[in-house]
Amino acid sequence: MLANPGSLRFMILDDEGIIALDLAEMLHDLGHSVVATATRVDRGIEFATHGELDMAILDINVHGVDSFPIATILQGRGVPVIFASGYGKRGLIDGFRDAHVLTKPYGIASLTQAVAKASTVAAA
């Protein structure tokens, strides 16, 4: 369940620093905060396990390692996940086929839509 659907605490996982920075800026512009940014899966696992998060945006492929173990941890904690990928839904595996996906490159409009959809599902 989300703490406050109007202002969410996000975790970002992306191996491209500039993409992570752009995403954080877009989230801030939307009134949200980024409480954790990781560029490696092992660091993302730490944040996913211990961080106070409302939602996460995870690049699927991070330096050749997939982020599904992080998504599994977050799913177990009830934290909604949005995947970011150049492959769209084709990059998802079983267990996450219905997940929200931001297809790269994305802009603030598609980000806003993905966050709204993930928030609605989490609140249900």
Side-chain angles (χ1 to χ4, degrees):
M1 177 176 272
L2 299 176
N4 175 357
S7 178
L8 303 172
R9 298 168 296 179
F10 277 84
M11 174 183 138
I12 295 172
L13 173 73
D14 202 299
D15 55 359
E16 296 290 333
I18 193 72
I19 292 174
L21 286 172
D22 286 344
L23 177 54
E25 186 174 315
M26 284 190 273
L27 290 167
H28 286 134
D29 289 348
L30 294 172
H32 305 299
S33 62
V34 175
V35 296
T37 301
T39 58
R40 296 185 338 253
V41 170
D42 59 342
R43 189 74 172 127
I45 287 172
E46 290 177 38
F47 290 138
T49 303
H50 303 292
E52 292 186 33
L53 311 168
D54 296 311
M55 194 172 293
I57 300 176
L58 309 177
D59 187 358
I60 292 175
N61 182 339
V62 179
H63 298 294
V65 179
D66 71 53
S67 63
F68 298 113
I70 297 170
T72 300
I73 292 167
L74 293 168
Q75 190 177 50
R77 294 183 60 198
V79 176
V81 172
I82 299 168
F83 289 102
S85 173
Y87 299 104
K89 287 220 177 239
R90 293 186 321 256
L92 297 177
I93 63 169
D94 289 340
F96 296 103
R97 300 257 184 237
D98 295 329
H100 300 284
V101 177
L102 275 170
T103 302
K104 291 180 176 181
Y106 51 83
I108 198 158
S110 56
L111 174 62
T112 301
Q113 184 178 28
V115 170
K117 285 181 181 179
S119 296
T120 301
V121 171

